[in-house]
């Protein structure tokens, strides 16, 4: 009951929280077979949330044990099919509890259930794939089911810790555990090694992958240029970014001098953008007709002031209370799930004192907030473009700098 309730509430919240979520090969999770779902882990609870709301199956999750630190959390997370997994940092005695957890996992699989595991163990906000822990391969080897499969799920975010960004899930081709057993002649060591290699390689090939953290800023800048250069509706929106990251890595290996030259151009371009107080999208977007904004501005203005209190509250809580970067996005989204319904209800009650029609009051408040939500990004670009008309030479220079980078990388 709790699982189903939160499934629909979170699904609705994510619809508004993300700019776009792209789902690839969803049929691979729809099979009625026991599944161990393995995904890369770069965005804390948001990774599990996106997998859950984009699966028609009821899923079970292995979660780090330290989040089950109060009786209420133990009860609540249990209702959401979460099971604690203990690590060495939880104490050697606590590790013994994993035996009973894996027994529960095997029972779930024996009933044709699906379990979500993040084999990297810890979560770090980065576009890399760390070494895997061995838990999922031990579970696979010790669950004697002929139809058991491991399903790799590659998750990509444009900007993992930000609001109104892009995300994608690719449910990859399932790996047959029985085939791995036969290939390795039921030798546990060889089985573990092969299954980890297959899963790791499958995920890495479908991730936007940045090999070294020293190159994060450069890669992210080029990837942003790419996203703003192609249509969001493009069928290869994610694939083109995967290929671009691979292209940059190849360029670094084969022509380091050119790599560094383009890196300097990218840094210079984004420094200029920052100095001018504008975004790359303001350079690439077509100018929005002024008359359109004259007509929409009153609705946007009212929506802005209606939205300012909950948005400021969310920003304050996330920035002051949440210290670890990997939790910011998921906490912001979950808090939105509770704050906005309560806020909209309260404001509608106030408006109802004047209109004496609660349904109409609720509709007005909801529509105004939605208009602001749908237009705030475009309106920011409009303001930046308007400012650019006063600094035409600076805008022209930025366009030329951008064109040089696009040409050098054939974006």
């Amino acid at each position: 009951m709790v699982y189903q309730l939160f499934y629909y509430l979170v699904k609705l919240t994510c619809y508004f929280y993300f700019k776009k979520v792209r789902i690839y090969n969803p049929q691979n999770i729809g099979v009625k077979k026991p599944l161990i779902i393995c995904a890369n882990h770069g965005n804390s609870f948001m990774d599990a949330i996106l997998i859950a709301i984009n699966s028609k199956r009821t899923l079970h999750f292995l979660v780090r044990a330290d989040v089950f630190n109060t009786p209420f959390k133990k009860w609540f997370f249990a209702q959401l099919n979460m099971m604690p997994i203990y690590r060495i940092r939880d104490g050697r005695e606590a590790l013994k509890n994993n035996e009973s957890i894996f027994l529960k996992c095997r029972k779930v699989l024996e009933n044709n259930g699906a379990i979500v595991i993040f084999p990297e163990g810890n979560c770090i906000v980065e576009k890399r794939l760390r070494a895997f822990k061995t838990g999922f391969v031990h579970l696979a080897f010790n669950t004697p089911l002929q139809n058991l499969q491991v399903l790799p799920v590659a998750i990509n975010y444009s900007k993992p810790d930000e609001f109104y960004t892009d995300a994608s899930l690719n449910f990859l081709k399932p790996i047959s555990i029985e085939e791995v057993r036969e290939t390795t002649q039921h030798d546990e060591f060889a089985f573990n090694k092969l299954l980890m290699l297959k899963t790791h390689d499958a995920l890495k090939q479908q991730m936007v992958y940045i090999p070294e953290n020293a190159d994060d800023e450069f890669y992210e800048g080029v990837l942003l240029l790419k996203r703003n250069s192609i249509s969001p509706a493009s069928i290869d929106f994610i694939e083109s970014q995967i290929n671009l990251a691979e292209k940059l890595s190849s360029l670094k290996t084969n022509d380091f001098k050119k790599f560094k030259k383009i890196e300097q151009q990218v840094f210079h371009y984004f420094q200029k953008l920052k100095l001018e107080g504008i975004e790359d999208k303001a350079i690439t977007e077509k100018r929005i007709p002024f008359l359109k904004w004259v007509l929409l501005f009153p609705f946007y203005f009212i929506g802005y002031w209606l939205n300012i209190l909950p948005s400021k509250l969310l920003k304050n809580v996330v920035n002051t209370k949440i210290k670890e970067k990997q939790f910011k996005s998921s906490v912001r989204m979950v808090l939105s799930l509770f704050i906005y319904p309560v806020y909209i209800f309260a404001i509608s009650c106030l408006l109802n004192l004047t209109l004496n029609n609660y349904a109409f009051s609720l509709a007005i408040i909801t529509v105004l907030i939605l208009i602001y939500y749908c237009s705030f990004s475009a309106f920011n670009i409009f303001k930046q473009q308007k400012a650019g008309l006063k600094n035409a030479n600076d805008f022209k220079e930025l366009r030329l700098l951008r064109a040089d980078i696009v040409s050098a990388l054939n974006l």
Side-chain angles (χ1 to χ4, degrees), residues 36-40 115-119 136 150-154 199 203:
I36 299 173
I37 300 170
C38 293
N40 55 300
I115 295 171
V116 178
I117 298 177
F118 297 101
F136 84 99
V150 165
L151 177 66
V153 180
T199 309
L203 290 175

Side-chain angles (χ1 to χ4, degrees), residues 61-66 68 82-86 97-98 101:
F61 306 86
L62 284 179
V63 181
R64 47 189 263 190
D66 60 336
F68 295 76
M82 295 183 182
M83 295 177 282
I85 191 73
Y86 296 87
N97 296 324
N98 286 336
I101 297 300

